[in-house]
Amino acid sequence: MIKTFAKEVDAGLDAPKKSLPSRYFYDKKGDEIFVRIMNMPEYYLTNAELEIFNCQTPELIKSFGMNGEHFEVVELGAGDGVKVVKLLKQLVGHNFTYTPIDISINAIEKLKNRLLGEIPGLDFEGQQGEYFDVLDSLKAVGKKVILFLGSNIGNLTDSRAHEFMVKISESMNSHDKLLIGFDLKKNPAVIKNAYNDPHGYTRDFNLNLLCRINRELGGDFIIHKFKHSPEYNNDTGAALSYLESLEEQTVHINATGKSYKFRKGERIHTEISRKYDLETIHKIAKDTGLIVKKTFFDSRKYFIDVLFEKD
Ligand code: AVI
């Protein structure tokens, strides 16, 4: 793990346009900051999707079209379970197994304790792994509903999202369903405020990546010499996060055995949080052998959960 981390950090910082993979945000500290982000009012995504699960779960379940046979609810990148528990509670009485897949075994254990506390008797089969890697094994699963919530898809570049959707589509049979949460394009001010919040949580989340490199890879980043620098382009729907070097400086990382030079104002790209429109979502479906079966919006139309099935 450390080796892969070091390799990816080196590749990102050695490139002419510097970047770091956003999945390294999520160490213990990063997870804590992310919870703060999800709970702040400016980060509208959490409440928007929660509203869909609070108000439209019966319609969601009906749209799964499962008539008594056993099925699996496979959740990719399971998270804290706040949303899915709404769904699972109303699924009680159906013949199903809940299979969350997450890179962190800790996250799965925590989720298991929480869910079994709230839904005694829940058939829980957690699986550890990167979701890209486990998609192949999903082919063998009988009837299933795959969940990919919280706009996690937005953290993939368009080409990676395409690759991901093709793999999911290939793992699906004609009776399977796929439910994906997409954050929608909206007033750019609302989006900018969510990714450049007044509390500084998103700034800390972004800068924690440099702290993590210092902690785990023996880096000597001086954190206050970088600033959180987000931008949003409403045409492309890309909310991008950068870390900008406030002066000319050199940083050494023990684990890569290399030093990296930064110009004043030079930026490290750290994250994409893609915002979608319906046209793009339909195009994604068409390009990956899927069709949009049903859509579930929150009341402000900030967010959408889309149910797909095989074309
Ligand atoms: C996990 N993911 C959907 C979040 C997002 O909105 O892209 C991560 C995040 N980054 C900054 N704030 C939240």
Side-chain angles (χ1 to χ4, degrees), residues 26 34 37 43 150-152 155 195 202 205 271 273:
Y26 303 92
F34 187 52
I37 290 176
Y43 193 71
S151 191
N152 282 325
N155 296 133
Y195 290 90
T202 316
F205 186 59
E271 189 185 42
S273 299

Coordinates of all heavy atoms in Angstrom, one line a residue, residues 26 34 37 43 150-152 155 195 202 205 271 273, ligand 1:
Y26 N -8.6 9.9 2.1 CA -9.3 9.2 3.1 C -8.5 8.4 4.0 O -8.6 7.1 4.1 CB -10.5 8.4 2.4 CG -11.4 9.3 1.6 CD1 -11.1 9.4 0.2 CD2 -12.4 9.9 2.1 CE1 -11.9 10.3 -0.5 CE2 -13.2 10.8 1.4 CZ -12.9 10.9 0.0 OH -13.7 11.8 -0.7
F34 N -14.0 14.6 6.4 CA -15.1 14.4 5.5 C -16.5 14.3 6.2 O -17.5 14.8 5.6 CB -14.9 13.2 4.6 CG -15.9 13.0 3.5 CD1 -16.1 14.1 2.6 CD2 -16.6 11.8 3.3 CE1 -17.1 14.0 1.6 CE2 -17.5 11.7 2.3 CZ -17.8 12.8 1.5
I37 N -17.5 17.8 6.7 CA -18.0 18.4 5.4 C -19.4 17.9 5.1 O -20.3 18.7 4.8 CB -17.1 17.9 4.2 CG1 -15.7 18.6 4.3 CG2 -17.7 18.2 2.9 CD1 -14.7 18.1 3.3
Y43 N -22.6 21.9 2.2 CA -22.4 20.7 1.4 C -23.8 20.1 1.2 O -24.2 19.1 1.9 CB -21.5 19.8 2.1 CG -21.0 18.6 1.2 CD1 -20.2 18.9 0.1 CD2 -21.4 17.3 1.4 CE1 -19.8 17.9 -0.7 CE2 -21.0 16.3 0.5 CZ -20.2 16.6 -0.5 OH -19.8 15.6 -1.4
G150 N -24.1 8.9 -3.4 CA -23.4 10.1 -2.9 C -22.5 10.8 -3.9 O -21.6 11.5 -3.5
S151 N -22.8 10.7 -5.2 CA -22.0 11.3 -6.2 C -20.6 10.9 -6.2 O -19.7 11.7 -6.6 CB -22.1 12.9 -6.1 OG -21.6 13.5 -7.2
N152 N -20.3 9.7 -5.8 CA -19.0 9.2 -5.8 C -18.5 9.1 -7.3 O -17.3 9.2 -7.6 CB -18.9 7.8 -5.2 CG -18.8 7.9 -3.7 OD1 -18.3 8.8 -3.1 ND2 -19.5 6.9 -3.0
N155 N -16.3 11.8 -8.7 CA -14.8 11.8 -8.4 C -14.0 11.1 -9.5 O -12.8 11.0 -9.4 CB -14.5 11.3 -7.0 CG -15.1 12.2 -5.9 OD1 -15.7 11.7 -5.0 ND2 -15.0 13.5 -6.1
Y195 N -17.6 23.7 -2.1 CA -16.2 23.2 -2.2 C -15.2 24.3 -1.8 O -14.0 24.1 -1.9 CB -16.0 22.8 -3.7 CG -16.8 21.5 -4.0 CD1 -18.1 21.6 -4.5 CD2 -16.2 20.3 -3.6 CE1 -18.8 20.4 -4.7 CE2 -17.0 19.1 -3.8 CZ -18.3 19.2 -4.4 OH -19.0 18.0 -4.5
T202 N -13.2 22.1 3.8 CA -12.7 21.5 2.5 C -11.3 21.9 2.3 O -10.5 21.1 1.8 CB -13.6 22.1 1.4 OG1 -15.0 22.0 1.8 CG2 -13.4 21.2 0.1
F205 N -9.4 19.4 4.4 CA -9.5 18.1 3.7 C -8.4 18.0 2.6 O -7.7 17.0 2.5 CB -10.9 18.0 3.1 CG -11.3 16.7 2.6 CD1 -11.3 15.5 3.3 CD2 -11.8 16.6 1.2 CE1 -11.8 14.3 2.8 CE2 -12.2 15.5 0.7 CZ -12.2 14.3 1.5
E271 N -8.5 16.9 -7.1 CA -9.8 16.2 -7.2 C -10.7 16.8 -8.2 O -10.7 18.0 -8.5 CB -10.5 16.4 -5.8 CG -11.8 15.6 -5.7 CD -12.6 15.9 -4.4 OE1 -12.7 17.0 -4.0 OE2 -13.0 14.9 -3.8
S273 N -14.9 16.8 -8.9 CA -16.2 16.5 -8.4 C -17.2 16.9 -9.5 O -17.6 18.1 -9.6 CB -16.5 17.3 -7.1 OG -15.6 16.9 -6.1
Ligands
AVI1 C1 -16.9 11.8 -1.9 N1 -17.2 12.8 -2.9 C2 -18.4 12.5 -3.5 C3 -17.1 14.2 -2.4 C4 -17.4 15.2 -3.5 O1 -18.3 16.0 -3.3 O2 -16.7 15.1 -4.6 C5 -15.7 14.5 -1.8 C6 -15.5 15.9 -1.4 N2 -14.5 16.7 -1.8 C7 -14.7 17.9 -1.3 N3 -15.8 17.9 -0.6 C8 -16.3 16.7 -0.7

